[in-house]
């Protein structure tokens, strides 16, 4: 449900030169927009911007993320160098965390010493009970999350309650299919993964023979876990993954696991109910606890220690980790250490760093402009719902109630996390990470028995992204995305509505996509549709699925229309709503050209330049399996080809390759 610079200039910077928001030098004007709108809008930019060696893809999101990570680096190096920062201050804590990660000499000297106690502890386990106790301990100690998924979240059918939730898990490769398929691409990745296991065990003292044996053992266990998992497409069904159990009843389905006892070891007590995403996974896991020898489970748990630590140990471990990821992604060179540590600081203590980021880089007027845009998009969405020709009045009323109940969150939280109790030591990088993981785990568990905290954010302020959360019925836009090419307070409306306006519309449309539409205005998983309206909606989504299924990415790989359905509906709804809102503005009502383009042309070109980019073949193949978003070139054209306004703006006629007859153009929201 997730989507993704120039509003962020420093306050004291000199006046910026006039920006060409739609720049013809990035376009390929020799291409007919009706034949290939992606190339027409972005062809020259794509040719001139290959993927840099340290990246796996390069496009508008990445350019912006690169800008942001450099902004974050400036904040972090300044904080680390600030000798006057008081103990306990935001600057001191952020600076110490980053500096500890940059102290490579100390990290090299330690080798794999930080994880030796964990490996030794696992080696002393003697029975299945010891295995399960370690699985619980690894979570509470911030080491790893082996065997299955566990989290605390809202009960989808009773959204005022936070409940413990168990999900499938225990695997390492990006998707279950990587274990189960035997095509050349999958076999190459399996081989690289096994080599990675061998390398890490060898580096931590195993003989090459034992390391090779361990790799086969681990792959065998994970392949069995993968076979018990649902596919990503199945997991998109919020009813299929909603299985409520009394704790005692859940234990009856898994005789080898007493969940009440295990949950207590995971710091969860007094809970009588749990939600289980995939009950079959846990019955299969139960069987494996009997059929897989304890010695093999010990090897598996040691692997969990190794793989979760490798990137933060000495160079041989980091290199092995990168070599494995290269096969998956195609990335040419390791991301620089400063960049990895900047991202790690953001991921670990993002709302401390976020305070400094917003203070230095975010302009308050951008937030005010965004609030206005959100209000305009909501108004446009309302008009579109009222005018739908396929939905009954009774369902429209419920849809409007949901739209009006949306909570927008813009730029940064009103209430910052302060990370009370998190110890950060300038000389203890690995321990800082563990402490951060433990703090996060404890914060999660503390939510039980308390009112749902609606002020929480799922992304940090520097993040170049956006999201919709169905159980909160909220749309969220971090400061990081509120920059060109998505947004600039100084840009003309066509650019802002085609960029961030479409992003706002996209997130709103998630409330009405094939998943989000199953939640009501309060965020509860509850049907609010008539059967007839739901059937009409599904017929329309089927047509959209067929459109995206026809898009080919690599050799025989097509876009997975079922996996990407929610995002494709988000794009189609979002761009339509943004266009509706744009037409209410003075520029939207005029025909005055800017830089040679009409307002409508600028609107669609602004949309297109958001999705321009290059991606390595390995990453493209992985994206199709794991990413619910369609590739950028198909996001560029997927929505516009269904909009009459795009045909008029670029004079697209029958005979053009992208032409769809008016009656075939898909209109949902």
């Amino acid at each position: 449900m997730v989507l993704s610079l120039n509003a962020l200039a420093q306050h004291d910077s000199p006046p910026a030169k006039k920006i060409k928001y739609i720049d013809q030098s990035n376009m390929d004007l020799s291409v007919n927009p009706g034949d290939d709108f992606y190339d027409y809008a972005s062809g020259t930019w794509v040719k001139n911007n290959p993927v840099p060696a340290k990246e796996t893809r390069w496009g508008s999101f990445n350019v912006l993320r690169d800008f942001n990570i450099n902004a974050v680096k400036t904040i972090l190096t300044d904080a680390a160098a600030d000798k006057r920062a008081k103990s306990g201050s935001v600057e001191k804590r952020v600076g110490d965390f980053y500096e500890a990660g940059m102290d490579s000499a100390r990290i090299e000297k330690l080798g794999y010493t930080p994880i030796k106690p964990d490996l030794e502890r696992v080696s002393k386990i003697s029975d299945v009970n010891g295995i399960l106790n370690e699985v619980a301990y690894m979570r509470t100690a911030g080491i790893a999350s082996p065997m299955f998924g566990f989290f605390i979240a809202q009960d989808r059918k009773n959204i005022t309650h936070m409940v413990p939730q168990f999900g499938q898990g225990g695997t390492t490769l990006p998707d279950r299919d990587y274990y189960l398929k035997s095509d050349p691409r999958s076999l190459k990745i399996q081989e690289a993964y096994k080599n990675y296991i061998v390398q890490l065990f060898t580096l931590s003292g195993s003989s090459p023979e034992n390391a090779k044996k361990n790799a086969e053992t681990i792959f065998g266990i994970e392949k069995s876990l993968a076979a018990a998992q649902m596919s990503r497409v199945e997991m998109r069904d919020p009813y299929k993954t909603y299985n409520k159990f009394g704790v005692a009843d859940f234990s009856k389905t898994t005789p080898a696991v007493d969940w009440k006892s295990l949950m207590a070891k995971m710091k969860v007590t007094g809970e009588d109910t749990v939600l289980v995403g995939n009950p079959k996974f846990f019955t299969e896991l139960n069987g494996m606890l009997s059929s897989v020898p304890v010695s093999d489970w010990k090897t598996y748990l040691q692997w969990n220690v190794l793989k979760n630590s490798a990137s933060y140990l000495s160079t041989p471990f980091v290199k092995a980790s990168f070599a494995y990821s290269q096969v998956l992604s195609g990335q040419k060179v390791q991301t620089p250490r400063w960049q990895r540590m900047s991202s790690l600081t953001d991921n670990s203590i993002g709302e401390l760093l976020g305070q400094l980021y917003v203070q230095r880089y975010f302009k308050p007027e951008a937030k005010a402009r965004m609030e206005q845009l959100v209000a305009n998009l909501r108004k446009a969405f309302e008009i579109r719902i009222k005018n739908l020709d396929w939905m009954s009045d009774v369902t429209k009323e419920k849809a409007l109630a949901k739209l009006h109940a949306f909570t927008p969150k813009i730029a940064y939280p009103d209430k910052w996390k302060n990370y009370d109790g998190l110890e950060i030591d300038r000389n203890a990088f690995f321990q800082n990470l563990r402490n951060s993981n433990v703090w996060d785990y404890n914060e999660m568990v503390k939510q039980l028995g308390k009112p749902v905290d609606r002020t929480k954010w799922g992304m940090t302020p520097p993040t170049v992204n956006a999201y919709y959360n169905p159980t909160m019925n909220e749309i969220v836009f971090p400061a990081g995305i509120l920059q060109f090419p998505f947004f600039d307070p100084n840009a003309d409306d066509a650019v802002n509505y085609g960029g961030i306006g479409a992003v706002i519309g996209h997130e709103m449309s998630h409330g009405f996509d094939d998943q989000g539409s199953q939640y009501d205005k309060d965020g509860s998983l509850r049907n609010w549709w008539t059967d007839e309206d739901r059937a009409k909606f599904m017929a329309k989504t089927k047509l959209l699925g067929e459109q995206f299924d026809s898009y080919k990415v690599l050799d025989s790989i097509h876009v997975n229309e079922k996996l990407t359905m929610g995002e494709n509906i988000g794009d189609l709804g979002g761009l339509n709503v943004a266009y509706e809102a744009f037409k209410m503005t003075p520029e939207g009502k005029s025909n005055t050209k800017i830089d040679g383009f009409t307002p409508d042309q600028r609107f669609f070109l602004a949309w297109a330049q958001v999705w321009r980019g290059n991606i390595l073949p390995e990453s493209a193949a992985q994206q199709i399996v794991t990413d619910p978003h369609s590739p950028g070139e198909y996001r560029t054209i997927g929505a516009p080809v269904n909009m009459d306004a795009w045909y008029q703006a670029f004079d697209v006629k029958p005979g053009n390759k992208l032409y769809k007859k008016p009656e075939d153009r898909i209109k949902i929201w």
Side-chain angles (χ1 to χ4, degrees):
M1 295 204 168
V2 171
L3 219 186
S4 329
L5 284 231
N6 255 359
L8 302 193
Q10 292 207 30
H11 290 301
D12 53 1
S13 59
K17 64 177 183 182
K18 185 180 181 302
I19 295 171
K20 235 182 186 173
Y21 294 107
I22 304 294
D23 191 341
Q24 286 193 23
S25 66
N26 290 325
M27 300 168 64
D28 186 347
L29 299 173
S30 69
V31 174
N32 186 314
D35 290 332
D36 187 340
F37 187 57
Y38 179 73
D39 254 13
Y40 169 77
S42 303
T44 303
W45 190 96
V46 169
K47 283 189 195 104
N48 293 339
N49 288 273
V51 179
K54 72 181 179 74
E55 303 286 345
T56 59
R57 57 176 77 181
W58 195 248
S60 292
F61 275 79
N62 309 90
V63 172
L64 187 38
R65 283 171 182 154
D66 207 54
F67 172 90
N68 264 12
I69 205 68
N70 278 286
V72 164
K73 179 192 183 186
T74 304
I75 291 166
L76 292 171
T77 49
D78 286 355
D82 187 354
K83 300 282 190 284
R84 293 171 302 174
K86 289 180 182 157
S87 179
S89 67
V90 172
E91 289 80 1
K92 174 77 175 149
R93 299 175 84 198
V94 165
D96 283 357
F97 190 96
Y98 177 70
E99 189 59 27
M102 291 303 290
D103 188 353
S104 50
R106 189 184 296 268
I107 293 162
E108 292 305 322
K109 199 172 164 189
L110 287 170
Y112 76 100
T113 310
I115 60 169
K116 273 186 182 172
D118 299 320
L119 297 173
E120 283 165 14
R121 187 182 60 258
V122 172
S123 72
K124 291 172 184 162
I125 295 171
S126 59
D127 56 20
V128 170
N129 207 35
I131 294 292
L132 290 170
N133 288 344
E134 182 64 24
V135 165
Y137 175 73
M138 281 189 175
R139 281 180 161 78
T140 61
I143 298 166
S145 302
M147 212 175 268
F148 54 81
F150 172 71
F151 57 99
I152 309 293
Q154 284 166 285
D155 181 335
R156 277 169 274 168
K157 291 188 179 180
N158 185 5
I159 50 108
T160 59
H161 285 76
M162 304 295 286
V163 289
Q165 308 200 21
F166 290 92
Q168 60 189 36
T171 49
T172 306
L173 289 168
D175 187 80
R176 66 162 204 170
D177 285 1
Y178 284 96
Y179 295 91
L180 308 177
K181 286 186 172 177
S182 55
D183 58 279
R185 190 180 273 121
S186 301
L187 291 174
K188 184 186 173 190
I189 288 167
Q190 289 171 18
E191 197 54 41
Y193 178 44
K194 288 176 187 173
N195 288 340
Y196 178 41
I197 299 173
V198 169
Q199 278 187 286
L200 291 196
F201 272 101
T202 308
L203 286 170
S204 54
S206 294
S207 68
E209 299 76 38
N210 276 347
K212 206 161 189 300
K213 189 165 156 258
N214 288 350
E216 293 304 326
T217 297
I218 289 155
F219 191 84
I221 288 175
E222 292 192 357
K223 186 174 181 179
S224 296
L225 292 171
Q229 292 177 5
M230 285 185 196
S231 70
R232 283 175 190 261
V233 171
E234 287 176 288
M235 293 292 289
R236 294 189 72 248
D237 184 337
Y239 284 97
K240 192 180 268 192
T241 56
Y242 186 94
N243 303 282
K244 190 175 265 193
F245 287 88
V247 175
D249 293 329
F250 186 33
S251 295
K252 281 177 193 161
T253 70
T254 59
V257 188
D258 174 1
W259 289 102
K260 186 178 180 184
S261 162
L262 193 66
M263 282 163 65
K265 294 185 173 98
M266 291 162 60
K267 301 190 175 184
V268 176
T269 53
E271 296 292 316
D272 57 5
T273 307
V274 294
L275 285 173
V276 181
N278 178 2
K280 176 178 163 277
F281 175 84
F282 288 90
T283 57
E284 294 288 328
L285 174 61
N286 179 73
M288 288 173 67
L289 288 167
S290 308
S291 64
V292 174
V294 169
S295 58
D296 287 1
W297 279 119
K298 285 161 68 172
T299 302
Y300 168 78
L301 289 179
Q302 287 185 323
W303 170 239
N304 273 264
V305 173
L306 285 165
K307 73 174 182 181
N308 281 286
S309 309
S311 299
Y312 315 117
L313 300 172
S314 56
T315 298
F317 287 88
V318 175
K319 279 187 172 169
S321 185
F322 177 63
Y324 158 64
S325 75
Q326 272 188 301
V327 178
L328 283 170
S329 70
Q331 187 175 333
K332 303 291 185 289
V333 302
Q334 172 83 299
T335 309
R337 184 168 195 90
W338 70 262
Q339 190 170 336
R340 284 180 281 135
M341 292 307 116
S342 296
S343 296
L344 191 62
T345 307
D346 186 32
N347 291 336
S348 305
I349 49 172
E351 288 196 23
L352 290 180
L353 171 62
Q355 292 174 56
L356 302 179
Y357 175 83
V358 166
Q359 192 181 311
R360 190 182 294 203
Y361 288 101
F362 190 72
K363 290 186 172 181
E365 57 265 33
K367 189 167 185 175
R369 180 81 177 100
M370 268 298 285
E371 284 166 352
Q372 185 188 15
L373 281 164
V374 169
N376 292 351
L377 265 289
R378 202 190 306 241
K379 205 181 296 172
F381 214 130
E382 182 177 330
I383 291 166
R384 292 189 68 82
I385 289 172
K386 285 177 177 173
N387 289 338
L388 290 177
D389 60 3
W390 58 270
M391 184 182 271
S392 68
D393 288 345
V394 62
T395 308
K396 279 182 185 179
E397 197 179 320
K398 303 265 177 60
L400 290 167
K402 180 167 186 176
L403 175 70
H404 295 146
F406 276 153
T407 301
K409 291 180 176 175
I410 297 165
Y412 52 88
D414 294 329
K415 186 177 88 178
W416 294 99
K417 272 191 218 171
N418 56 18
Y419 303 87
D420 277 349
L422 172 58
E423 285 187 30
I424 298 170
D425 183 336
R426 200 177 182 93
N427 300 313
F429 169 58
F430 194 84
Q431 194 57 48
N432 289 343
L433 274 184
R434 284 277 172 93
N435 291 351
S436 170
N437 291 344
V438 169
W439 191 91
D440 283 342
Y441 184 84
N442 289 340
E443 275 299 292
M444 178 179 78
V445 171
K446 274 184 205 165
Q447 296 176 92
L448 289 168
K450 289 182 184 167
V452 172
D453 183 357
R454 293 187 166 272
T455 67
K456 281 179 68 171
W457 279 53
M459 289 179 180
T460 65
T463 306
V464 183
N465 220 322
Y467 68 94
Y468 170 73
N469 179 346
T471 53
M472 292 279 201
N473 199 23
E474 64 184 8
I475 48 175
V476 187
F477 309 97
I481 198 172
L482 305 183
Q483 307 172 71
F484 184 72
F486 295 94
F487 173 71
D488 187 330
N490 303 312
D492 58 300
D493 281 330
V495 168
N496 278 333
Y497 279 89
I500 201 70
V503 173
I504 296 166
H506 173 104
E507 299 310 335
M508 286 181 170
S509 296
H510 272 315
F512 302 97
D513 70 17
D514 62 321
Q515 279 180 302
S517 63
Q518 299 183 70
Y519 295 80
D520 69 10
K521 69 180 178 66
D522 300 319
S524 295
L525 186 59
R526 186 184 297 133
N527 182 40
W528 47 272
W529 296 67
T530 66
D531 291 346
E532 193 184 351
D533 287 339
R534 174 56 75 172
K536 287 178 182 173
F537 174 72
M538 296 309 286
K540 285 175 175 291
T541 64
K542 185 173 181 286
L543 292 172
L544 190 64
E546 287 165 4
Q547 176 187 322
F548 277 86
D549 184 53
S550 70
Y551 296 147
K552 200 151 80 165
V553 183
L554 290 168
D555 45 73
S556 60
I557 302 176
H558 285 246
V559 173
N560 183 340
E561 47 101 356
K562 288 190 171 74
L563 180 63
T564 59
M565 179 60 75
E567 298 300 335
N568 298 335
I569 295 170
D571 282 351
L572 180 59
L575 196 61
N576 269 290
V577 175
Y579 181 75
E580 183 95 31
F582 170 57
K583 296 310 278 184
M584 297 177 195
T585 68
E587 186 187 2
K589 291 171 183 165
S590 85
N591 287 310
T592 307
K593 290 186 178 181
I594 301 176
D595 295 331
F597 297 106
T598 67
D600 276 21
Q601 288 173 335
R602 287 175 71 77
F603 172 86
F604 287 108
L605 290 169
W607 165 257
Q609 69 184 4
V610 160
W611 301 115
R612 65 192 179 199
N614 284 299
I615 183 168
L616 300 175
E618 297 89 343
S619 289
Q622 185 179 334
Q623 180 190 6
I624 288 299
V625 178
T626 62
D627 193 342
H629 301 83
S630 298
E633 64 190 289
Y634 298 124
R635 297 188 77 173
T636 301
I637 62 170
V641 298
N642 290 303
M643 294 173 66
D644 299 344
W646 176 74
Y647 288 82
Q648 289 153 15
F650 296 99
D651 196 26
V652 180
K653 296 271 200 307
N656 287 133
K657 289 176 187 169
L658 294 177
Y659 182 84
K660 286 175 90 168
K661 288 188 276 192
E663 61 270 28
D664 293 339
R665 295 169 199 168
I666 303 156
K667 294 171 176 62
I668 303 180
W669 295 107

